[in-house]
Amino acid sequence: MLTFFSDSHHAHAPQYEFFRGERVPCFETPARAEFVKTRLTERGHALRTPHVDSRAVLAKVHTSRYMAFLEHAWRDWAALEAGNDQRQPFPSVWPVRTLRSDVEPANFTARLGLYSMDNGSPLSGGTWEAAKAGADAAASAVTLLGAGERAVFCCSRPPGHHAGPDFMGGYCFLNNAAVAAQALRDGGAARVAVLDVDYHHGNGTQSIFYNRADVLFVSLHGDPLTEYPFYLGHADETGEGEGAGFNLNLPLPAGCTVPRWFDALEAACQRIGSYRADALVVSLGLDTFAEDPISKFALQPQDFIRLGERLGKLGLPTVFVLEGGYAAAALGTNAVNVIEGFEGL
C-alpha cells in the first residue's frame, strides 16, 4: 500500500508530559512513527513524501484564530522570557462554564488554556511543522484515491483525532482524519464515513462533523465514564441539526473481550454500509493492543489482520490515518497487519 511519511515528524519531540498528576517521559514519541516506517519498508510498502499543502482544507475544519495561535505558539512562548526555548509550556487555566472564550487573552498561558482541552499535550519547537506535515499527508492521500488508488496509509505523528475545531488535546493538534474527510468531500465524494478504532474516543472529529449529514462519524472506544477523553463519546450522542442520526458511538467497558470488540466493529461496519458512503477514512488507533501502556483492551497482533480484512470487505476507497498506539515497538507490526489484512496479503 502506498504510504505517506515525512521526516518532519521528528520536529515534534517534547521531553515530558503530565500523566495522572506525575511528570513522566512522553508516551507519544518520534520512535512510534519510525517503528512503523521500518516495518513498512521491510514488507515492501512504498513510501512517499506529502506533496499537497493542506492549508485550504485545514481552514474548513479548524478556526482561523486557533490555526494562527498554533502556528506561532512556540515563537510567542520563546519570546516571552530568556530560556523559554528550553522549557515546555503547559496551560494552567481554562475557560470552563460561565467563563468567556470569545475574547482571546493577551497572556500566553491563558491563550494556551483557551485552545487546550487538557495539560497533557506538550508543545515543542517543531510542533506546528510536524502537525502540518501530517495534515499535508492526509490531503495528499486523497489525491491518490482520486487517481485510482484503492487505499493509502498516512504514517504520521502527532495524531489528530482529539483536536477539535478550535482546540488541541490528547497529543493532537491538527485533525488529520477530518482533513482527509473534508478533502474527499471537496473532491466530489457525496458521503464520507469516518471510522475511529482508537481506544480513546475521537472527540475532535465528532465535534467537527456533529452538525453535518455528509460525513458519518462512527467510533468504538473505551467508555468515557472511565476513559479519556471523559466528556464525549457516549452512545446518546447521535448528531444535531442536519447531522442528527449521523454520529454513532459504541463505547465499550475497559477490559472488554476481543469477541465483544469485534461485535462492535461489525455494528460499525453495518452502519457504514447502510450509509452508502462513497469513501472511508479510518482513524487507525492501535492502542487497543493488549500491551499498550495507557489503554485497556486486549487485541493481539493477529486481531489487527482481522480488522483489516473486515474493513477491506466494505469495498470503499480508504484513507488510513495513524492515531494512537503507545507500545511503540509493536506499533509497526500491528499497523502493517491492518494494511495487509485490508489488501488480502
Side-chain angles (χ1 to χ4, degrees):
M1 185 181 294
L2 291 177
T3 297
F4 282 104
F5 178 87
S6 172
D7 284 324
S8 295
H9 82 86
H10 285 283
H12 176 66
Q15 296 180 355
Y16 64 91
E17 64 178 90
F18 288 99
F19 181 68
R20 296 174 181 168
E22 299 289 334
R23 175 173 158 164
V24 300
C26 290
F27 290 103
E28 204 290 296
T29 67
R32 298 176 61 248
E34 292 300 320
F35 278 117
V36 179
K37 175 188 176 184
T38 297
R39 185 61 175 158
L40 287 164
T41 302
E42 290 172 350
R43 295 291 294 174
H45 296 277
L47 302 183
R48 295 191 180 187
T49 301
H51 61 279
V52 175
D53 185 346
S54 60
R55 281 184 181 272
V57 186
L58 281 167
K60 297 181 180 181
V61 299
H62 293 294
T63 66
S64 59
R65 191 175 74 162
Y66 171 62
M67 293 275 290
F69 170 78
L70 186 61
E71 183 171 5
H72 302 297
W74 188 262
R75 179 202 66 186
D76 293 348
W77 166 248
L80 280 178
E81 184 177 332
N84 267 9
D85 59 348
Q86 301 300 312
R87 305 184 184 104
Q88 290 179 203
F90 288 92
S92 59
V93 62
W94 292 265
V96 297
R97 292 161 300 280
T98 77
L99 301 183
R100 292 183 64 176
S101 61
D102 59 313
V103 179
E104 185 181 63
N107 179 279
F108 177 84
T109 301
R111 283 189 287 137
L112 186 56
L114 177 66
Y115 297 118
S116 300
M117 63 173 280
D118 59 29
N119 75 338
S121 303
L123 293 167
S124 68
T127 296
W128 169 259
E129 178 185 354
K132 175 63 163 49
D136 290 349
S140 299
V142 171
T143 67
L144 292 189
L145 292 192
E149 290 294 327
R150 181 191 178 203
V152 183
F153 175 54
C154 299
C155 178
S156 52
R157 60 163 292 278
H161 70 149
H162 294 306
D166 59 354
F167 61 85
M168 65 187 79
Y171 313 139
C172 302
F173 303 91
L174 297 175
N175 195 308
N176 303 320
V179 167
Q182 185 62 54
L184 284 163
R185 285 286 296 115
D186 292 347
R191 292 178 299 277
V192 177
V194 179
L195 173 62
D196 194 319
V197 296
D198 194 279
Y199 180 78
H200 305 95
H201 177 254
N203 61 286
T205 315
Q206 173 174 309
S207 296
I208 289 167
F209 296 117
Y210 202 61
N211 296 89
R212 292 172 53 172
D214 58 338
V215 178
L216 169 72
F217 179 67
V218 182
S219 178
L220 48 154
H221 51 269
D223 192 330
L225 287 174
T226 62
E227 309 306 309
Y228 185 93
F230 305 113
Y231 306 113
L232 215 61
H234 299 281
D236 64 352
E237 298 157 12
T238 58
E240 291 181 350
E242 292 183 2
F246 296 97
N247 193 91
L248 175 62
N249 286 325
L250 299 164
L252 296 164
C256 84
T257 65
V258 171
R260 184 169 179 182
W261 190 88
F262 274 100
D263 285 345
L265 176 67
E266 185 58 32
C269 290
Q270 292 288 338
R271 179 66 183 96
I272 292 168
S274 67
Y275 180 62
R276 296 180 291 114
D278 299 306
L280 174 67
V281 178
V282 179
S283 273
L284 187 61
L286 297 163
D287 44 4
T288 51
F289 179 48
E291 297 178 24
D292 193 274
I294 61 174
S295 306
K296 301 170 185 175
F297 284 167
L299 272 65
Q300 297 294 333
Q302 65 271 19
D303 294 316
F304 292 103
I305 299 174
R306 182 180 170 190
L307 167 60
E309 291 172 342
R310 183 63 185 93
L311 298 181
K313 290 178 181 177
L314 289 170
L316 295 171
T318 301
V319 175
F320 289 94
V321 177
L322 184 64
E323 300 285 6
Y326 307 101
L331 200 60
T333 295
N334 293 338
V336 171
N337 280 359
V338 175
I339 290 168
E340 296 188 348
F342 182 93
E343 295 186 317
L345 299 179

